[in-house]
Amino acid sequence: MAKRKQLNVALIGAGFMGRAHSNAHLKVNRFFNLPADVVMHTIVDVAEPAARAAADTWGWRRVVTDIREALADPAIDLVDICLPNYLHAQAAVAAAKAGKAVLCEKPLAHTLADARRMLAAVKQAAVPNFVSFNYRRVPALALARQFIAEGRLGTIYHIRASYLQDWIIDPDFPLVWRLKKELTGSGAHGDLNAHIIDLARFLVGDFDSVSGLMETFIKERPLEVGRQVRGLEGKGGRKKGKVTVDDATLFLARFKNGAVGSFEATRFAQGRKNRNQLEINGSKGSLAFCFERMNELEFMDATQPLAEQGFRTILATEGVHPYMQAWWPPGHIVGYEHTFVNQLADVVRALCSRSKKDRFRPDFADAFEVQKVLEAVGRSARSGRWVKVDSVK
Ligand code: SOE
């Protein structure tokens, strides 16, 4: 039998996202029929116990604490970056220079300058590049995109998107890296608005201009002791430090195709845990989605007879729905972790194909566009003016 193509992966960062991606690497060939096998070759983390624990849990074959060792290994094909935002650029640029394909967690970087550097590096090295805006791989949202591409919504007028969480609402929640500008770039904005900006680009189109406001409700928090590993937890000490990012960012947008939108990201929406939701209204219909019911897409088709019109709920779990052929019988729903597996299946297909139809989006160029929108909103919040996204270079 002919030997199947192997894709050797080095995953960098054994924290929360490292777990989500490890699970994807482990599962992808067990559920998807793909042209290559993913090999969980190397796990990298500066903290050796964390790297060892990840290797034991997920089956990574080799443990290293220095990324340079993984990049120097000619066996490695794909570098998967799951580090805090401020470390993305250094890792991605080095991986590109080493000729590796790069998958990077979102947002692309903590600053526009770093994002630009990363884009230039993958272009110069001509390496395949992918960004983990995983919500594009929610089957119901991929279905939304199909409906829009087929013209089922007609001309799009509005997108109304919000991403609401509440995990830092306690003023004693510690000053974790996600609340320090120099490590994360921005707060709810870069963490959550980045996702809905990417989804808006996926579903509606390119941004023209934005007008935003940002607020920090809790200005000081206990300094963190220890390290976050599993998720978003954290332990605070006695000393306090300054919060240097936004707790909430809201903005209005105009799109190049004439549509308009409103966007809101906050970690202060009591009771909303991971409520990534959007509604899109077009001349022929509307779509609505909420991640807390992620298997469902609401669709209103205004071409139906008036007496039958209204929103209906599509349970996007049939084999005809995007990605669902790989999973379970209809109605056997999928969850958060499946979005990362679906995404990795698309990465593997893109790496094995030269065909345009297998091009993976979003890539670094897409994520740089998201970064420009983030930056434009920040500038607008500071100046109180509308900002053209293309004025951000
Ligand atoms: C924390 O706000 C977080 O884990 C984000 O960093 C992720 O990107 C989002 O998908 C879920 O919430």
Side-chain angles (χ1 to χ4, degrees), residues 16 106 135 163 165 167 178 191-192 195 232 274 336:
F16 171 23
K106 50 59 63 175
Y135 295 110
Y163 199 151
Q165 297 182 339
W167 56 280
R178 288 168 192 267
D191 194 33
L192 304 179
H195 277 301
L232 299 170
N274 198 35
Y336 176 65

Side-chain angles (χ1 to χ4, degrees), residues 48-333:
E48 195 176 348
R52 287 221 170 278
D56 290 346
T57 304
W58 300 105
W60 292 100
R61 293 181 184 172
R62 183 177 180 220
V63 169
V64 305
T65 53
D66 186 337
I67 185 177
R68 285 172 298 188
E69 253 185 83
L71 297 184
D73 185 345
I76 298 298
D77 301 299
L78 172 68
V79 174
D80 183 0
I81 300 170
C82 294
L83 294 165
N85 304 348
Y86 75 107
L87 295 170
H88 287 184
Q90 207 184 344
V93 170
K97 281 192 179 150
K100 314 292 186 193
V102 194
L103 166 61
C104 186
E105 255 306 318
K106 50 59 63 175
L108 189 56
H110 73 315
T111 63
L112 185 71
D114 266 8
R116 195 182 301 109
R117 222 152 54 80
M118 291 166 78
L119 178 58
V122 294
K123 273 192 183 163
Q124 196 182 349
V127 291
N129 51 93
F130 321 100
V131 178
S132 176
F133 279 112
N134 58 305
Y135 295 110
R136 287 195 186 204
R137 270 74 194 183
V138 171
L141 284 175
L143 180 66
R145 157 98 170 181
Q146 277 180 15
F147 283 171
I148 292 169
E150 286 161 12
R152 304 285 297 275
L153 258 60
T155 304
I156 294 183
Y157 296 126
H158 292 281
I159 175 165
R160 213 164 292 109
S162 57
Y163 199 151
L164 315 176
Q165 297 182 339
D166 70 355
W167 56 280
I168 60 167
I169 207 160
D170 176 357
D172 287 330
F173 186 86
L175 196 58
V176 296
W177 69 266
R178 288 168 192 267
L179 300 176
K180 294 181 185 171
K181 188 176 167 65
E182 72 277 17
L183 306 186
T184 187
S186 61
H189 190 42
D191 194 33
L192 304 179
N193 271 337
H195 277 301
I196 53 181
I197 292 167
D198 179 65
L199 286 177
R201 293 190 70 251
F202 181 52
L203 297 169
V204 178
D206 287 333
F207 283 73
D208 173 73
S209 47
V210 292
S211 168
L213 71 84
M214 302 176 117
E215 189 53 66
T216 305
F217 302 116
I218 306 291
K219 316 267 187 233
E220 280 199 332
R221 290 180 179 274
L223 294 177
E224 190 185 21
V225 288
R227 166 181 161 164
Q228 296 169 277
V229 177
R230 287 182 67 82
L232 299 170
E233 77 289 346
K235 207 166 155 254
R238 287 232 192 107
K239 278 198 186 148
K240 286 200 165 188
K242 208 167 162 238
V243 176
T244 44
V245 298
D246 56 293
D247 288 330
T249 295
L250 288 72
F251 69 96
L252 297 177
R254 288 186 180 283
F255 289 81
K256 289 186 175 166
N257 61 10
V260 296
S262 69
F263 295 80
E264 176 180 10
T266 181
R267 294 150 164 174
F268 278 70
Q270 206 53 284
R272 301 307 192 192
K273 300 300 170 185
N274 198 35
R275 201 172 180 87
N276 175 358
Q277 61 189 359
L278 54 86
E279 180 165 308
I280 298 178
N281 313 117
S283 56
K284 292 193 195 160
S286 291
L287 289 172
F289 169 82
C290 173
F291 185 71
E292 289 178 352
R293 305 184 70 119
M294 65 168 281
N295 288 270
E296 299 174 3
L297 181 67
E298 288 188 68
F299 179 38
M300 188 274 172
D301 183 351
T303 65
Q304 295 292 299
L306 192 57
E308 292 170 27
Q309 281 181 19
F311 276 93
R312 59 192 159 89
T313 303
I314 300 168
L315 187 64
T317 60
E318 299 283 340
V320 293
H321 291 131
Y323 303 106
M324 288 310 296
Q325 192 70 50
W327 295 104
W328 312 112
H332 294 64
I333 57 178

